[in-house]
C-alpha cells in the first residue's frame, strides 16, 4: 500500500472513530489488512497533523489539527494553549507537561523552529524537556512559551 493511501485510511479512521493510542491505530490498520510499524505510524501522525484532544469518555483521541495555514510559531502557540498543563523551568531546562500523547507534537514543532536558546528537546508521552545552554536562555524560552500559551492568535 502506498503512503498516501495509508494516510488517507488513517484520516478516515480518525474522523469516524475515537482512536486514543498509536497501538490502537496500528491494530485497526492491521484489521483492515494494512501492515505498518510503530515508527511509520508515528511519522504519519506528525505529517497528518494529528493531535490528541479530550474525548467524550474522559480519555483522549486523535484529531486532525485544522490550522494548516498558520505559521509554525502560530501552530506552536495554538498547540500550547490546547494541550499544555504547565511549564516549569529547572535551571537550564524547561519541563512542559501536556495531556497524554501530545508531548511529541510540541517537540516536533519546537524542533522545526530555529530557536537559538534551544540545544535540544526530549519528548515522551506527556512530558517534554527543552534543554538550553544556560539558565538565562532557559528563562528566555520559558517567557516565550508562557507568553505564547496565554496569547490569543491575531
Amino acid at each position: 500500500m502506498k503512503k498516501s493511501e495509508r494516510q488517507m485510511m488513517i484520516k478516515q479512521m480518525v474522523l469516524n472513530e475515537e482512536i486514543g493510542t498509536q497501538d490502537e491505530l496500528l491494530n485497526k490498520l492491521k484489521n483492515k489488512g494494512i501492515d505498518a510499524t510503530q515508527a511509520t505510524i508515528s511519522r504519519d501522525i506528525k505529517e497528518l497533523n494529528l493531535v490528541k484532544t479530550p474525548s467524550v469518555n474522559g480519555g483522549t483521541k486523535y484529531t486532525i489539527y485544522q490550522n494548516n495555514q498558520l505559521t509554525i510559531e502560530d501552530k506552536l502557540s495554538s498547540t500550547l494553549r490546547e494541550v499544555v498543563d504547565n511549564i516549569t523551568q529547572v535551571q537550564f531546562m524547561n519541563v512542559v507537561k501536556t495531556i497524554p500523547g501530545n508531548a511529541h507534537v510540541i517537540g516536533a514543532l519546537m524542533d522545526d523552529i530555529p530557536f537559538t536558546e534551544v540545544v535540544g528537546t526530549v519528548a515522551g508521552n506527556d512530558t517534554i524537556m527543552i534543554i538550553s545552554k544556560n539558565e538565562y536562555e532557559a528563562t528566555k524560552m520559558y517567557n516565550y512559551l508562557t507568553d505564547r500559551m496565554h496569547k490569543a492568535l491575531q
Side-chain angles (χ1 to χ4, degrees), residues 6-152:
R6 183 185 64 249
Q7 288 187 349
M8 182 59 74
M9 178 74 68
I10 292 171
K11 277 185 184 179
Q12 290 172 348
M13 293 168 91
V14 166
L15 289 171
N16 296 320
E17 305 174 45
E18 288 199 2
I19 299 173
T21 66
Q22 287 185 16
D23 284 339
E24 192 177 338
L25 181 57
L26 272 170
N27 289 333
K28 289 185 180 290
L29 287 170
K30 283 181 184 175
N31 289 341
K32 294 187 183 264
I34 301 165
D35 196 29
T37 66
Q38 188 276 331
T40 299
I41 296 303
S42 184
R43 281 189 298 274
D44 288 340
I45 288 169
K46 180 180 178 187
E47 291 174 16
L48 292 170
N49 291 317
L50 299 183
V51 295
K52 291 242 184 146
T53 57
S55 67
V56 293
N57 65 8
T60 59
K61 66 177 183 169
Y62 283 109
T63 305
I64 298 172
Y65 188 74
Q66 298 294 326
N67 293 326
N68 293 333
Q69 73 278 8
L70 298 176
T71 66
I72 295 173
E73 289 86 358
D74 287 340
K75 284 183 185 180
L76 177 61
S77 296
S78 179
T79 306
L80 287 168
R81 281 192 302 281
E82 291 174 12
V83 304
V84 171
D85 289 330
N86 69 49
I87 302 172
T88 305
Q89 182 182 341
V90 181
Q91 296 179 352
F92 60 91
M93 293 185 294
N94 283 288
V95 179
V96 180
K97 295 292 283 180
T98 70
I99 60 175
N102 280 279
H104 73 284
V105 177
I106 302 289
L109 289 168
M110 293 291 300
D111 291 344
D112 287 343
I113 301 171
F115 290 113
T116 58
E117 299 86 1
V118 176
V119 174
T121 60
V122 180
N125 181 47
D126 64 356
T127 305
I128 178 170
M129 289 188 330
I130 303 166
I131 305 163
S132 298
K133 290 177 235 161
N134 55 51
E135 194 168 342
Y136 173 75
E137 291 193 353
T139 300
K140 283 175 56 178
M141 184 51 52
Y142 174 84
N143 291 335
Y144 173 86
L145 292 171
T146 55
D147 180 56
R148 286 284 183 162
M149 215 170 113
H150 301 296
K151 184 176 172 184

